[in-house]
């Protein structure tokens, strides 16, 4: 039994807090929106992001960072990727000292930093843990069997986090390839947007099978250029998460693509969403990173063209699917 | 423009015959059921397997093998895997001499032979071509963008077949790893049954993401032990086909698993199907092959236990998803 702080009271943060309480930890759940946090504490339910699931008694809801992180052996960062720098800076100033676990999947705008790089800068801690893999919050909260990865270059920390989170229906495997796990988690949201476009314009499973195959190859190319191991992309943090995201009705990123494919504008789609679609932010950062690394990312490029340059989704997809055929490699 | 014979008038054979005619080839479509073939020729439609799609004039429907294969530069074997030996033997006796292209995905019962090994024996031709990848017939016949692989250890033949089949919406890539392409195509049907069980008992995308990841690793292990290249399994013939099959409502193998997961018996499921679910035959052959090669195939073993030993589907799935966690590799 440990003291664990979960920073971020969205659907994933709330789900993990409830899961950790079921694993008999003492959990503090912190959110930045005081009104929201007050409502969650009063009703013992996160009606906005996880309706119908009661918060167990062991989850203490906190509006202030200090009491949330005080004595916490593990601090889980469960805010959107573009907010990780700010929230981890505040946590650092508030004295956070436990093992940092990042569950946000993305790349930072502008700096192109991976989340562990952001935490290294803000927390002065170069050995954070990445918890990633195919894990829709809605399903974890219903007890659907789920398998994830606890990745760190500090093996003892990866195992501590594994032990804290593991349960019969939430299996945690360790891995030491932090870069691979982070790139897999971030980039799959971009490919999921492309898969959604595929759905929106009425293409089929044949198209998606081919698109995801090329998408994973593209993710792996970028990751390997950054020092990741190729095998990581064929594990839970790569292929597993990509499939779960790109095929699921739960995925916000796939849904963004589907609506674009049906002809809605990006502004219209984003205005109607209560949750962040990480892939929209990550697409641009991934494209810039590909250029920096000299790695071709044709699907990412087309997703950016659709998102930011008004390219017609059908044209973008067709240009990907009708290249001159040659050898498969 | 070539003369091409398509042996087998099921949904895939008929779809390929129509596709090849659209590519301006002279196509002969042969089927073993004379009554069925007579109906197809009279109505110019395969009402049983591909309703609503008219056969173009360039497709000649044949009830006899000799005129079908006479002068054919390419002979496509589009019968179920367990019938490949018989049909190719008959084609050989009837004088077939064109490039043999196999589109059946499976392993032969008893002999555990791959389809190219069967053709090598019956046709005395060790350099057949495998055409495989994510390609549901229903989608190809509607012009949905599809990408497949033409694999042979004879590069010139792989390219001839590529040129014959390639079109704007049916992209053909060459590959020289015949073993990998065959094992990927055969085994994905077994994993698709497991994915269907997952659907049938109400598990979610998290579970399927993890299951398919392990499934592909299992397929690759077996393939590599037989001499295949690992990379092949992360291409169209491996991951691409696995995703399209395991996630699709078109897949008969996934559907078998789903119905088993809902509690139907195998006899009941099979009695109600007009088309063959290849995975049911392949599961047992794959299990035997794994034992012969000394390779662990935990998902295949559980699929066999459900199919042939009356194991409860939920128990089988749960035993796969709740193993003791350790390192991901």
């Amino acid at each position: 039994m440990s003291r664990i702080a979960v920073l971020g009271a969205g659907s994933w943060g709330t789900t993990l807090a409830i899961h950790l309480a079921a694993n008999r930890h003492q959990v503090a759940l912190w959110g930045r929106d005081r009104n929201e946090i007050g409502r969650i504490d009063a009703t013992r339910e996160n009606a906005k992001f996880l309706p119908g699931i009661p918060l167990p008694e062991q989850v203490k809801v906190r509006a202030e960072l200090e009491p949330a992180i005080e004595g916490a052996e593990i601090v889980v960062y469960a805010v959107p990727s573009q907010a990780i720098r700010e929230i981890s800076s505040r946590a650092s100033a508030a004295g956070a000292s436990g093992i940092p676990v990042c569950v946000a999947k993305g790349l930072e705008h502008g700096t192109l930093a991976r989340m562990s790089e952001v935490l290294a800068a803000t927390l002065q801690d170069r050995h954070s843990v990445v918890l990633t893999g195919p894990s829709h919050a809605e399903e974890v909260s219903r007890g659907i069997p789920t398998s994830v990865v606890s990745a760190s270059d500090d093996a003892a920390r990866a195992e501590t986090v594994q032990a804290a989170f593991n349960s019969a229906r939430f299996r945690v495997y360790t891995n030491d390839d932090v870069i691979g796990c982070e790139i897999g988690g971030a980039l799959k949201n971009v490919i999921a947007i492309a898969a959604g476009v595929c759905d929106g314009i009425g293409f089929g499973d044949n198209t998606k099978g081919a698109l995801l195959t090329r998408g994973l190859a593209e993710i792996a190319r970028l990751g390997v250029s950054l020092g990741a191991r190729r095998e990581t992309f064929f594990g839970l943090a790569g292929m597993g998460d990509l499939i779960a995201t790109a095929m699921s009705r739960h995925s916000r990123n796939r849904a963004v693509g589907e609506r674009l494919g049906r002809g809605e504008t990006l502004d219209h789609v984003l205005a109607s969403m209560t949750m962040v679609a990480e892939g929209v932010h990550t697409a641009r950062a991934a494209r810039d990173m590909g250029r920096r690394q000299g790695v071709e990312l044709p699907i990412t490029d087309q997703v950016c063209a659709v998102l930011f340059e008004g390219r017609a989704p059908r044209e973008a997809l067709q240009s990907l699917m009708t290249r001159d055929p040659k050898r498969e490699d």
Side-chain angles (χ1 to χ4, degrees), chain A:
Chain A
M1 200 196 72
S2 310
R3 289 179 67 94
I4 302 180
V6 178
L7 309 187
S11 61
W12 194 215
T14 307
T15 297
L16 288 174
I18 294 170
H19 169 70
L20 290 164
N23 268 7
R24 301 172 172 278
H25 301 294
Q26 284 187 10
V27 184
L29 177 64
W30 173 89
R32 70 193 301 174
D33 182 332
R34 286 177 175 280
N35 290 334
E36 204 57 57
I37 279 292
R39 257 194 300 275
I40 293 172
D41 200 18
T43 60
R44 302 301 294 170
E45 180 194 348
N46 189 336
K48 186 171 170 194
F49 289 117
L50 209 64
I53 315 272
L55 282 190
E57 212 181 305
Q58 302 96 303
V59 175
K60 307 296 176 204
V61 178
R62 302 292 186 199
E64 302 288 344
L65 268 173
E66 277 87 351
I69 60 181
E70 195 189 340
E73 294 139 70
I74 292 174
V75 180
V76 180
Y77 292 88
V79 297
S81 56
Q82 305 311 312
I84 288 284
R85 185 173 295 274
E86 181 203 338
I87 300 304
S88 59
S89 299
R90 287 175 57 186
S92 179
S97 66
I99 301 174
V101 176
C102 187
V103 301
K105 296 171 180 174
L107 298 170
E108 197 178 46
H109 239 148
T111 66
L112 310 190
R114 291 176 283 106
M115 295 296 106
S116 66
E117 294 177 310
V118 175
L119 293 182
T122 56
L123 301 174
Q124 307 295 319
D125 186 328
R126 308 209 141 266
H127 306 286
S128 59
V129 176
V130 180
L131 191 74
T132 187
S135 46
H136 293 297
E138 298 83 345
E139 294 189 357
V140 172
S141 71
R142 288 191 290 126
I144 298 288
T146 299
S147 302
V148 299
V149 169
S150 164
S152 179
D153 48 20
D154 179 328
R157 280 184 161 190
E159 284 166 21
T160 299
V161 170
Q162 174 185 50
F165 282 82
N166 190 63
S167 76
R169 301 193 149 228
F170 191 83
R171 311 306 282 178
V172 185
Y173 296 81
T174 58
N175 190 310
D176 62 4
D177 182 8
V178 174
I179 298 175
C181 288
E182 289 191 312
I183 293 295
L187 272 280
K188 58 108 192 181
N189 284 326
V190 181
I191 307 299
I193 292 175
V197 169
C198 192
D199 292 336
I201 61 185
F203 287 171
D205 297 314
N206 293 357
T207 325
K208 275 175 89 171
L211 183 73
L212 296 185
T213 301
R214 291 209 199 133
L216 188 61
E218 175 168 326
I219 295 172
R221 267 200 306 277
L222 181 64
V224 167
S225 84
L226 294 161
R229 279 203 309 273
R230 181 172 296 278
E231 305 83 80
T232 301
F233 300 99
F234 304 114
L236 293 166
M239 175 181 169
D241 203 358
L242 177 63
I243 291 176
T245 303
M247 306 302 280
S248 176
R249 66 196 158 79
H250 296 306
S251 164
R252 302 190 284 280
N253 294 288
R254 197 203 59 78
V256 166
E258 181 168 3
R259 292 173 63 180
L260 293 171
R262 288 210 188 114
E264 289 185 55
T265 65
L266 182 63
D267 288 346
H268 190 257
V269 173
L270 295 183
S272 69
M273 298 182 80
T274 52
M275 297 197 235
V276 179
E278 290 277 13
V280 176
H281 298 289
T282 302
R284 206 193 295 262
R287 181 180 59 180
D288 293 349
M289 198 179 249
R291 287 175 184 166
R292 190 187 75 190
Q293 299 292 117
V295 173
E296 279 189 29
L297 306 175
I299 301 175
T300 301
D301 287 345
Q302 292 299 328
V303 168
C304 285
V306 170
L307 290 174
F308 310 122
E309 291 150 23
R311 174 146 210 209
R314 177 178 287 270
E315 258 177 41
L317 242 284
Q318 251 157 2
S319 80
L320 287 169
M321 300 309 297
T322 57
R323 302 177 307 175
D324 263 349
K326 34 193 180 187
R327 292 175 45 84
E328 198 185 3
D329 40 51

mmCIF file of all heavy atoms in Angstrom, chain A residues 10-39:
data_model
loop_
_atom_site.group_PDB
_atom_site.id
_atom_site.type_symbol
_atom_site.label_atom_id
_atom_site.label_comp_id
_atom_site.label_asym_id
_atom_site.label_seq_id
_atom_site.Cartn_x
_atom_site.Cartn_y
_atom_site.Cartn_z
ATOM 1 N N GLY A 10 -9.363 14.236 -15.451
ATOM 2 C CA GLY A 10 -10.122 13.886 -16.655
ATOM 3 C C GLY A 10 -10.548 12.426 -16.576
ATOM 4 O O GLY A 10 -10.523 11.818 -15.494
ATOM 5 N N SER A 11 -10.906 11.860 -17.725
ATOM 6 C CA SER A 11 -11.415 10.489 -17.664
ATOM 7 C C SER A 11 -10.305 9.498 -17.282
ATOM 8 O O SER A 11 -10.538 8.582 -16.492
ATOM 9 C CB SER A 11 -12.066 10.087 -18.983
ATOM 10 O OG SER A 11 -11.142 10.138 -20.028
ATOM 11 N N TRP A 12 -9.089 9.706 -17.802
ATOM 12 C CA TRP A 12 -8.032 8.742 -17.516
ATOM 13 C C TRP A 12 -7.519 8.906 -16.089
ATOM 14 O O TRP A 12 -7.339 7.919 -15.364
ATOM 15 C CB TRP A 12 -6.928 8.857 -18.560
ATOM 16 C CG TRP A 12 -5.911 7.744 -18.619
ATOM 17 C CD1 TRP A 12 -4.592 7.892 -18.904
ATOM 18 C CD2 TRP A 12 -6.115 6.331 -18.439
ATOM 19 N NE1 TRP A 12 -3.956 6.667 -18.914
ATOM 20 C CE2 TRP A 12 -4.876 5.690 -18.619
ATOM 21 C CE3 TRP A 12 -7.230 5.544 -18.122
ATOM 22 C CZ2 TRP A 12 -4.708 4.305 -18.502
ATOM 23 C CZ3 TRP A 12 -7.072 4.159 -17.999
ATOM 24 C CH2 TRP A 12 -5.831 3.559 -18.186
ATOM 25 N N GLY A 13 -7.295 10.147 -15.647
ATOM 26 C CA GLY A 13 -6.847 10.374 -14.274
ATOM 27 C C GLY A 13 -7.846 9.821 -13.262
ATOM 28 O O GLY A 13 -7.474 9.130 -12.297
ATOM 29 N N THR A 14 -9.112 10.089 -13.487
ATOM 30 C CA THR A 14 -10.146 9.605 -12.559
ATOM 31 C C THR A 14 -10.195 8.074 -12.563
ATOM 32 O O THR A 14 -10.296 7.429 -11.511
ATOM 33 C CB THR A 14 -11.520 10.185 -12.945
ATOM 34 O OG1 THR A 14 -11.406 11.614 -13.045
ATOM 35 C CG2 THR A 14 -12.570 9.831 -11.909
ATOM 36 N N THR A 15 -10.130 7.497 -13.755
ATOM 37 C CA THR A 15 -10.144 6.028 -13.868
ATOM 38 C C THR A 15 -8.968 5.408 -13.120
ATOM 39 O O THR A 15 -9.125 4.423 -12.380
ATOM 40 C CB THR A 15 -10.090 5.610 -15.353
ATOM 41 O OG1 THR A 15 -11.266 6.086 -16.003
ATOM 42 C CG2 THR A 15 -10.004 4.099 -15.509
ATOM 43 N N LEU A 16 -7.777 5.989 -13.306
ATOM 44 C CA LEU A 16 -6.595 5.438 -12.634
ATOM 45 C C LEU A 16 -6.682 5.610 -11.121
ATOM 46 O O LEU A 16 -6.276 4.729 -10.353
ATOM 47 C CB LEU A 16 -5.319 6.087 -13.185
ATOM 48 C CG LEU A 16 -4.948 5.654 -14.611
ATOM 49 C CD1 LEU A 16 -3.752 6.462 -15.122
ATOM 50 C CD2 LEU A 16 -4.651 4.148 -14.678
ATOM 51 N N ALA A 17 -7.235 6.741 -10.659
ATOM 52 C CA ALA A 17 -7.393 6.950 -9.212
ATOM 53 C C ALA A 17 -8.302 5.870 -8.620
ATOM 54 O O ALA A 17 -7.993 5.276 -7.573
ATOM 55 C CB ALA A 17 -7.965 8.344 -8.950
ATOM 56 N N ILE A 18 -9.390 5.588 -9.296
ATOM 57 C CA ILE A 18 -10.325 4.563 -8.816
ATOM 58 C C ILE A 18 -9.656 3.182 -8.845
ATOM 59 O O ILE A 18 -9.773 2.387 -7.911
ATOM 60 C CB ILE A 18 -11.616 4.568 -9.670
ATOM 61 C CG1 ILE A 18 -12.367 5.888 -9.464
ATOM 62 C CG2 ILE A 18 -12.498 3.363 -9.350
ATOM 63 C CD1 ILE A 18 -13.525 6.104 -10.433
ATOM 64 N N HIS A 19 -8.923 2.930 -9.929
ATOM 65 C CA HIS A 19 -8.215 1.651 -10.059
ATOM 66 C C HIS A 19 -7.186 1.474 -8.945
ATOM 67 O O HIS A 19 -7.087 0.407 -8.328
ATOM 68 C CB HIS A 19 -7.544 1.590 -11.431
ATOM 69 C CG HIS A 19 -6.585 0.450 -11.583
ATOM 70 N ND1 HIS A 19 -7.003 -0.864 -11.662
ATOM 71 C CD2 HIS A 19 -5.231 0.411 -11.636
ATOM 72 C CE1 HIS A 19 -5.941 -1.651 -11.764
ATOM 73 N NE2 HIS A 19 -4.860 -0.906 -11.750
ATOM 74 N N LEU A 20 -6.436 2.528 -8.661
ATOM 75 C CA LEU A 20 -5.398 2.446 -7.622
ATOM 76 C C LEU A 20 -6.028 2.270 -6.239
ATOM 77 O O LEU A 20 -5.482 1.569 -5.378
ATOM 78 C CB LEU A 20 -4.513 3.697 -7.669
ATOM 79 C CG LEU A 20 -3.594 3.777 -8.901
ATOM 80 C CD1 LEU A 20 -3.048 5.197 -9.081
ATOM 81 C CD2 LEU A 20 -2.447 2.760 -8.785
ATOM 82 N N ALA A 21 -7.181 2.889 -6.026
ATOM 83 C CA ALA A 21 -7.881 2.706 -4.747
ATOM 84 C C ALA A 21 -8.322 1.249 -4.594
ATOM 85 O O ALA A 21 -8.231 0.663 -3.508
ATOM 86 C CB ALA A 21 -9.077 3.647 -4.662
ATOM 87 N N ALA A 22 -8.785 0.660 -5.707
ATOM 88 C CA ALA A 22 -9.181 -0.748 -5.660
ATOM 89 C C ALA A 22 -7.976 -1.638 -5.364
ATOM 90 O O ALA A 22 -8.127 -2.726 -4.803
ATOM 91 C CB ALA A 22 -9.835 -1.158 -6.987
ATOM 92 N N ASN A 23 -6.791 -1.164 -5.729
ATOM 93 C CA ASN A 23 -5.549 -1.878 -5.401
ATOM 94 C C ASN A 23 -5.059 -1.537 -3.989
ATOM 95 O O ASN A 23 -3.911 -1.813 -3.651
ATOM 96 C CB ASN A 23 -4.450 -1.536 -6.426
ATOM 97 C CG ASN A 23 -4.419 -2.516 -7.589
ATOM 98 O OD1 ASN A 23 -5.287 -3.380 -7.711
ATOM 99 N ND2 ASN A 23 -3.433 -2.366 -8.458
ATOM 100 N N ARG A 24 -5.922 -0.907 -3.200
ATOM 101 C CA ARG A 24 -5.679 -0.626 -1.785
ATOM 102 C C ARG A 24 -4.620 0.442 -1.518
ATOM 103 O O ARG A 24 -4.004 0.444 -0.457
ATOM 104 C CB ARG A 24 -5.310 -1.923 -1.023
ATOM 105 C CG ARG A 24 -6.421 -2.954 -1.119
ATOM 106 C CD ARG A 24 -6.020 -4.292 -0.550
ATOM 107 N NE ARG A 24 -7.175 -5.171 -0.496
ATOM 108 C CZ ARG A 24 -8.080 -5.169 0.468
ATOM 109 N NH1 ARG A 24 -7.981 -4.327 1.483
ATOM 110 N NH2 ARG A 24 -9.105 -5.997 0.435
ATOM 111 N N HIS A 25 -4.423 1.331 -2.465
ATOM 112 C CA HIS A 25 -3.537 2.466 -2.194
ATOM 113 C C HIS A 25 -4.354 3.642 -1.645
ATOM 114 O O HIS A 25 -5.563 3.714 -1.839
ATOM 115 C CB HIS A 25 -2.816 2.898 -3.475
ATOM 116 C CG HIS A 25 -1.990 1.806 -4.065
ATOM 117 N ND1 HIS A 25 -0.878 1.295 -3.444
ATOM 118 C CD2 HIS A 25 -2.131 1.097 -5.220
ATOM 119 C CE1 HIS A 25 -0.356 0.328 -4.194
ATOM 120 N NE2 HIS A 25 -1.112 0.186 -5.272
ATOM 121 N N GLN A 26 -3.634 4.537 -0.968
ATOM 122 C CA GLN A 26 -4.254 5.803 -0.563
ATOM 123 C C GLN A 26 -4.033 6.798 -1.682
ATOM 124 O O GLN A 26 -2.895 7.163 -1.972
ATOM 125 C CB GLN A 26 -3.619 6.331 0.722
ATOM 126 C CG GLN A 26 -4.080 5.576 1.951
ATOM 127 C CD GLN A 26 -3.573 6.232 3.214
ATOM 128 O OE1 GLN A 26 -3.041 7.339 3.179
ATOM 129 N NE2 GLN A 26 -3.727 5.551 4.331
ATOM 130 N N VAL A 27 -5.106 7.258 -2.275
ATOM 131 C CA VAL A 27 -4.991 8.033 -3.502
ATOM 132 C C VAL A 27 -5.510 9.450 -3.307
ATOM 133 O O VAL A 27 -6.583 9.654 -2.724
ATOM 134 C CB VAL A 27 -5.792 7.358 -4.644
ATOM 135 C CG1 VAL A 27 -5.600 8.108 -5.952
ATOM 136 C CG2 VAL A 27 -5.378 5.897 -4.797
ATOM 137 N N ALA A 28 -4.727 10.424 -3.784
ATOM 138 C CA ALA A 28 -5.208 11.808 -3.854
ATOM 139 C C ALA A 28 -5.420 12.151 -5.319
ATOM 140 O O ALA A 28 -4.529 11.943 -6.142
ATOM 141 C CB ALA A 28 -4.193 12.754 -3.234
ATOM 142 N N LEU A 29 -6.615 12.656 -5.643
ATOM 143 C CA LEU A 29 -6.930 13.052 -7.018
ATOM 144 C C LEU A 29 -7.032 14.568 -7.069
ATOM 145 O O LEU A 29 -7.877 15.174 -6.408
ATOM 146 C CB LEU A 29 -8.255 12.411 -7.459
ATOM 147 C CG LEU A 29 -8.771 12.793 -8.858
ATOM 148 C CD1 LEU A 29 -7.826 12.330 -9.959
ATOM 149 C CD2 LEU A 29 -10.182 12.206 -9.084
ATOM 150 N N TRP A 30 -6.146 15.179 -7.862
ATOM 151 C CA TRP A 30 -6.116 16.631 -7.969
ATOM 152 C C TRP A 30 -6.532 17.068 -9.368
ATOM 153 O O TRP A 30 -6.192 16.407 -10.364
ATOM 154 C CB TRP A 30 -4.699 17.141 -7.685
ATOM 155 C CG TRP A 30 -4.531 18.619 -7.947
ATOM 156 C CD1 TRP A 30 -4.741 19.647 -7.081
ATOM 157 C CD2 TRP A 30 -4.106 19.231 -9.182
ATOM 158 N NE1 TRP A 30 -4.487 20.858 -7.679
ATOM 159 C CE2 TRP A 30 -4.086 20.634 -8.982
ATOM 160 C CE3 TRP A 30 -3.747 18.721 -10.436
ATOM 161 C CZ2 TRP A 30 -3.721 21.539 -9.986
ATOM 162 C CZ3 TRP A 30 -3.382 19.626 -11.438
ATOM 163 C CH2 TRP A 30 -3.367 21.016 -11.210
ATOM 164 N N GLY A 31 -7.288 18.154 -9.447
ATOM 165 C CA GLY A 31 -7.619 18.752 -10.745
ATOM 166 C C GLY A 31 -7.477 20.258 -10.658
ATOM 167 O O GLY A 31 -7.622 20.844 -9.579
ATOM 168 N N ARG A 32 -7.194 20.872 -11.795
ATOM 169 C CA ARG A 32 -6.910 22.311 -11.771
ATOM 170 C C ARG A 32 -8.167 23.153 -11.711
ATOM 171 O O ARG A 32 -8.121 24.315 -11.321
ATOM 172 C CB ARG A 32 -6.070 22.710 -12.973
ATOM 173 C CG ARG A 32 -6.813 22.644 -14.309
ATOM 174 C CD ARG A 32 -5.855 22.732 -15.473
ATOM 175 N NE ARG A 32 -5.096 23.972 -15.424
ATOM 176 C CZ ARG A 32 -4.093 24.260 -16.261
ATOM 177 N NH1 ARG A 32 -3.747 23.395 -17.202
ATOM 178 N NH2 ARG A 32 -3.443 25.390 -16.174
ATOM 179 N N ASP A 33 -9.297 22.599 -12.099
ATOM 180 C CA ASP A 33 -10.540 23.370 -12.126
ATOM 181 C C ASP A 33 -11.262 23.211 -10.785
ATOM 182 O O ASP A 33 -11.863 22.179 -10.489
ATOM 183 C CB ASP A 33 -11.409 22.854 -13.295
ATOM 184 C CG ASP A 33 -12.712 23.627 -13.439
ATOM 185 O OD1 ASP A 33 -13.221 24.162 -12.419
ATOM 186 O OD2 ASP A 33 -13.222 23.690 -14.570
ATOM 187 N N ARG A 34 -11.193 24.279 -9.951
ATOM 188 C CA ARG A 34 -11.721 24.194 -8.584
ATOM 189 C C ARG A 34 -13.211 23.870 -8.544
ATOM 190 O O ARG A 34 -13.677 23.113 -7.688
ATOM 191 C CB ARG A 34 -11.516 25.523 -7.847
ATOM 192 C CG ARG A 34 -10.090 25.740 -7.462
ATOM 193 C CD ARG A 34 -9.887 27.092 -6.801
ATOM 194 N NE ARG A 34 -8.504 27.149 -6.363
ATOM 195 C CZ ARG A 34 -8.062 26.570 -5.245
ATOM 196 N NH1 ARG A 34 -8.888 25.935 -4.443
ATOM 197 N NH2 ARG A 34 -6.791 26.623 -4.929
ATOM 198 N N ASN A 35 -13.957 24.457 -9.475
ATOM 199 C CA ASN A 35 -15.404 24.196 -9.479
ATOM 200 C C ASN A 35 -15.678 22.718 -9.751
ATOM 201 O O ASN A 35 -16.475 22.072 -9.069
ATOM 202 C CB ASN A 35 -16.096 25.035 -10.553
ATOM 203 C CG ASN A 35 -16.086 26.505 -10.179
ATOM 204 O OD1 ASN A 35 -16.018 26.849 -8.982
ATOM 205 N ND2 ASN A 35 -16.125 27.372 -11.172
ATOM 206 N N GLU A 36 -14.972 22.235 -10.773
ATOM 207 C CA GLU A 36 -15.150 20.832 -11.152
ATOM 208 C C GLU A 36 -14.767 19.916 -9.999
ATOM 209 O O GLU A 36 -15.489 18.957 -9.661
ATOM 210 C CB GLU A 36 -14.242 20.574 -12.367
ATOM 211 C CG GLU A 36 -14.652 19.419 -13.245
ATOM 212 C CD GLU A 36 -16.062 19.576 -13.770
ATOM 213 O OE1 GLU A 36 -16.366 20.600 -14.430
ATOM 214 O OE2 GLU A 36 -16.866 18.675 -13.485
ATOM 215 N N ILE A 37 -13.607 20.202 -9.400
ATOM 216 C CA ILE A 37 -13.118 19.372 -8.302
ATOM 217 C C ILE A 37 -14.094 19.414 -7.118
ATOM 218 O O ILE A 37 -14.368 18.386 -6.465
ATOM 219 C CB ILE A 37 -11.703 19.868 -7.893
ATOM 220 C CG1 ILE A 37 -10.675 19.289 -8.868
ATOM 221 C CG2 ILE A 37 -11.348 19.506 -6.464
ATOM 222 C CD1 ILE A 37 -10.491 17.783 -8.768
ATOM 223 N N GLY A 38 -14.653 20.587 -6.882
ATOM 224 C CA GLY A 38 -15.640 20.704 -5.801
ATOM 225 C C GLY A 38 -16.857 19.827 -6.071
ATOM 226 O O GLY A 38 -17.356 19.125 -5.176
ATOM 227 N N ARG A 39 -17.304 19.844 -7.308
ATOM 228 C CA ARG A 39 -18.457 19.019 -7.671
ATOM 229 C C ARG A 39 -18.144 17.531 -7.533
ATOM 230 O O ARG A 39 -18.955 16.745 -7.047
ATOM 231 C CB ARG A 39 -18.861 19.301 -9.122
ATOM 232 C CG ARG A 39 -20.086 20.194 -9.273
ATOM 233 C CD ARG A 39 -20.623 20.156 -10.700
ATOM 234 N NE ARG A 39 -19.647 20.604 -11.685
ATOM 235 C CZ ARG A 39 -19.452 21.888 -12.006
ATOM 236 N NH1 ARG A 39 -20.162 22.848 -11.433
ATOM 237 N NH2 ARG A 39 -18.553 22.215 -12.902
#
